[in-house]
Structure formats: C-alpha cells, structure tokens
C-alpha cells in the first residue's frame, strides 16, 4: 500500500482508497474467512466426522474475528491440522485488525486539513504517511514478542506442573499465547481455563497478554517511547490506561461480590483463588473470552455485569472488541459535563471536540441497536431466556467469546446471525469510525438554532 504526499496525487491515486477503505477491509476479511472455511471442511481438519459447512463457517469466522465462540469442542472435534488452521486464522485476524486500525488512522489523518491534522497528531501521536512500513513492522514485532514470552511461561508450566510432554506443552503454550494476545479465547482444553482456576502461572500470563493486546498499538508504542515522561502521554493514551485500570479493578470487585458464595463458581475456592478467578474473569470479559469458572452457572446479575464489560470492550487499535473504552469515556465525560453545566466536555485539561462527541454517540447508539434487535428476534424464536440470548449476542458483537453454553444448541439460522454479529462487531467500529471521520466536511452556512424540550 503506497501513500503519496503530493496534493495532486492525493486526489488522484489516493482518492479511490479514501472513498472505499471499508470495502477493502471487508473484502480482505471475507476472503480470510472463506479460505479458513474451506480448509476446515477438509477431512484432515477433524478428528472424526467431517465438519458441516455451518461448523466450518462459524469456527472460521470466530477465529478470523478473534471472538472465540464455538459450536464444536475445539480440542476434541478438530485435529492437529484443524487446530493449526484455527491458530493461523487467529493470528491473521489479530494482526489484520491492528494493521487495519492503524492504517485507517493514517488515512483519516491524510484526509484532514492541516489545522485538524496538527490537532489530531498532538492528541493521538499518530504516525505519518512515511511511517507506514515501520508501523507494519512494529505490529508484527510486538505481537511476536508478547506471544513468545507468554508461550515460554506457559510451556514451562504445562511441562513441569502438569506432566505434559515437551512437544504437547509447547503446542499448548504457543496456541494459548497467540489466542490470548489476539483476544480470541480459543482454548485447547474443553473447559477452557477452569482446571487452572487457582493457578496464577497459567491465568496471569494469559490475562497479561489479553490486556496488552487489548490496549492498542498507539498506546503501547507511546508508553514505551515516553515511559519516563508520562506527563507527555496523549489524552488517548491516558484515557485508555485509566479506563482499563478502572474496569479491571471494578470488574474484579464486581465478580468477587456477585459470586463469592456461589458454589458453582467461586464458592469452593480460598480467598486467594477467588481473587485470582475474579481478576481473570474481569480481564477476559474485555474481550478475550477465556473463562476460569463456569459462565453458565453464574448468577443472572453477574451475566448482566459481564454484558456491560463485554459491550465496553478494550482499547482502540487493539485486538479487543466492543465500542472501546475511549468511546465509553467520551460519553461519560459528556454526561458529567452536562450535569455540571460546563459549556465544554473536557478531560486531562483538553477539550473534546464536538465531532468526537457526535461520533462516540453515533457508534454507541448504533451498537445498542445492533445488540438489541437480534436479541429480540432470537428470543422470540428460541426456547432460551432473554438474559441468555442477550449474553450470547453481546459476546458475538463484542468479539468476546464467553458463552452461557447455548451457542451450539441454537438453530442454524440463529448461528448465522451470530456469525454476522461477529463480523460486524470486529470491523464495524473501526470502519464506522473511519467513515464518520472521512465524511466530515465544512458547511459555509449554519441554520438558525432551535432548542426542543428534553425530558
């Protein structure tokens, strides 16, 4: 992909790309899903009976969109070849998301006028057009570095503590490291991480990889570059780190309080085990999808809290899904400013632009509609309760992968809806945010102001 900085060529060769960035991204991901589906349909991909088209399509979509929802038992149904295909699809999907988000950020920067470009660069520390190749290298290097470290820790742990052969321990370590960093949630254990609920040497590295992958490349690079000067961090980085910390701590406390006495989840663990399990659930709900306790046995109010965490998601430009913590933070700041009567919505001594506020509101409300409408439709046509359906739909849209255990029991046409939601949830926020930014234009006049009564 080549960008030109010349004004004339920007309107020529660059124009088609600028007009159709979403189309190019969608085509690429559809192609990856199609290839993955065909590979998973091969007899060599399964350990027994060949996969149906729906099983292959659902699994390929879940892998490429780094979701983790499954309709088959991954370690039992898929052969070593099939698991390798899933692993490659996860890596392609995760790296693709980070690359796409970063390159579309460059595209947006290029579209803005000079004054807006300077403001955006100061706010986000965005890369310039000349940094595209370096950016792609950084995406790959960061992913491989984090995955290698986590894979090493997991390999040693599986080999030493669980008597796995070196080859099996290495495969499990690599698979779960890649799945964790890319926030995919696929596991080579039928019960996910339940058998390791009190083992910090398994749960903590996976959670760390999940958190790092979910922060987003711009945040990670800026923190590394300005690690000794945090005051110089951009507003985007500060919001992402603050919201991530608050949601991790708040989510851990929520799971502790909600499930403390539940014998099917935390009730049988000691205090340390309960804290670790709650932290794991808090980290995985945004939006990796591993679970160290039985999600289907959680209290209904815990499901609702998890739905909220899944819907918010992780950082922009990362492998996590959801509406993103920055979107949630902007809306929270707008509400707080309105309650206080402040004329401007400001955070960290910076005023949030009206355009950013409108984009955040648009993304959030459209996301609510995308979750609510399928929930109503599936609930009306299935024997499951609305809280179960809401959980599955939100998990698919937010590309989390947590499940109450009903995904495989849904009718094929309901599973098609979940496939669509995974795809929309993976690419929707990125492409929609880019489209909103690219559609911004100046009007030479303003209409007379009106003030409808609110409330």
């Amino acid at each position: 992909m080549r960008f030109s900085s010349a004004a004339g060529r920007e309107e020529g060769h660059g124009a088609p790309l600028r007009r159709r960035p979403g189309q190019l991204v969608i085509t690429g991901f559809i192609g990856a899903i199609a290839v993955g589906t065909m590979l998973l349909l091969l007899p060599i991909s399964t350990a027994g009976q060949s996969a149906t088209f729906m099983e292959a399509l659902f699994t390929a979509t879940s892998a490429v969109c780094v979701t983790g929802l499954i309709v088959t038992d991954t370690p039992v149904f898929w052969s070593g070849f099939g698991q390798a295909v899933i692993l490659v699809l996860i890596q392609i999907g995760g790296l693709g998301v980070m690359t796409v988000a970063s390159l579309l950020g460059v595209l947006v920067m290029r579209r803005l006028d000079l004054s807006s470009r300077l403001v955006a660069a100061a706010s986000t520390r965005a890369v310039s057009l000349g940094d595209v190749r370096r950016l792609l290298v950084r995406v790959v290097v960061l992913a491989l570095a984090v995955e290698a470290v986590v894979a090493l820790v997991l390999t040693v742990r599986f080999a030493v503590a669980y008597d796995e052969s070196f080859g099996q321990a290495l495969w499990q370590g690599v698979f779960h490291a890649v799945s964790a960093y890319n926030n995919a949630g696929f596991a080579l254990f039928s019960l996910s991480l339940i058998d390791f609920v009190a083992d910090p040497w398994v749960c903590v590295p996976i959670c760390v990889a999940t958190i790092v992958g979910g922060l987003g490349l711009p945040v990670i690079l800026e923190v590394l570059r300005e690690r000794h000067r945090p005051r110089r961090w951009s507003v985007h980085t500060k919001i992402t780190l603050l919201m991530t910390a608050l949601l991790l701590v708040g989510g851990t406390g929520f799971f502790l309080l909600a499930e403390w006495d539940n014998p099917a989840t935390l009730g049988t663990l000691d205090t340390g085990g309960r804290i670790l399990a709650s932290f794991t659930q808090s980290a995985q709900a945004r939006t990796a999808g591993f679970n160290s306790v039985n999600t289907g046995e959680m209290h209904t109010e815990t499901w609702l809290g998890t739905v909220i965490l899944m819907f918010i998601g992780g950082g922009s430009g990362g492998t996590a899904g959801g509406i993103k913590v920055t979107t949630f933070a902007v809306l929270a700041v707008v509400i707080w400013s309105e309650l206080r009567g402040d004329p401007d919505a400001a955070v960290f001594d910076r005023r949030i632009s009206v355009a950013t506020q409108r984009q955040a509101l648009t993304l959030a409300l459209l996301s609510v509609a995308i979750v609510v409408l399928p929930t109503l439709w599936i609930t009306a046509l299935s024997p499951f309760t609305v809280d179960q359906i809401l959980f599955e739909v939100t998990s698919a849209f937010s590309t989390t992968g947590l499940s109450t255990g009903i995904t495989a029991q849904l009718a094929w046409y309901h599973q098609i809806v979940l496939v669509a939601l995974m795809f929309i949830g993976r690419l929707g926020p990125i492409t929609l945010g880019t489209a909103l930014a690219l559609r911004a234009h100046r009007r030479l006049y303003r209409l007379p102001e009106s003030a409808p009564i609110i409330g």
Side-chain angles (χ1 to χ4, degrees), residues 33 239 297:
I33 292 172
I239 289 177
E297 296 295 331

Side-chain angles (χ1 to χ4, degrees), residues 304-391:
L304 180 58
T306 305
V307 164
I308 295 173
L309 291 175
M310 291 192 296
F311 187 77
I312 295 173
S316 300
T319 54
I323 63 172
K324 304 298 189 294
V325 293
T326 44
T327 303
F328 179 78
V330 167
L331 294 177
V333 169
V334 170
I335 293 172
W336 178 245
S337 299
E338 189 64 27
L339 292 175
R340 296 181 59 187
D342 290 341
D344 297 317
V347 59
F348 295 116
D349 297 324
R350 291 293 185 272
R351 175 170 50 88
I352 300 175
S353 69
V354 175
T356 300
Q357 298 177 38
R358 291 168 57 183
Q359 291 166 17
L361 181 61
T362 301
L363 176 59
L365 290 182
L366 284 178
S367 298
V368 169
I370 291 172
V371 168
V372 169
L373 294 179
T375 298
L376 294 175
W377 183 70
I378 296 177
T379 301
L381 300 177
S382 72
F384 302 106
T385 60
V386 65
D387 50 359
Q388 291 176 305
I389 300 299
L390 175 63
F391 194 99

Side-chain angles (χ1 to χ4, degrees), residues 17-31:
L17 176 61
R18 191 170 64 234
R19 287 194 297 266
R20 303 191 306 272
Q23 295 179 17
L24 296 175
V25 173
I26 291 172
T27 300
F29 273 78
I30 288 178

Side-chain angles (χ1 to χ4, degrees), residues 28 35 50 58 129-130 139 201 208 221 252 277 288 305 309 352 376 386 388 393 402 416 418 434 439 451 453:
V35 172
S50 297
F58 195 99
L129 299 181
V139 168
W201 289 100
V208 170
L221 293 181
T252 301
L309 291 175
I352 300 175
L376 294 175
V386 65
Q388 291 176 305
V393 167
L402 289 174
I416 287 291
L418 295 184
T434 303
R439 286 177 60 86
I453 299 175

Side-chain angles (χ1 to χ4, degrees), residues 59 66 97 109 130 141 201 252 273 286 290 302 343 385 391 414 420 454:
T59 303
V66 290
V97 166
M109 285 285 293
V141 169
W201 289 100
T252 301
R286 304 175 35 256
F290 292 103
T302 311
T385 60
F391 194 99
H414 293 152
I454 302 298

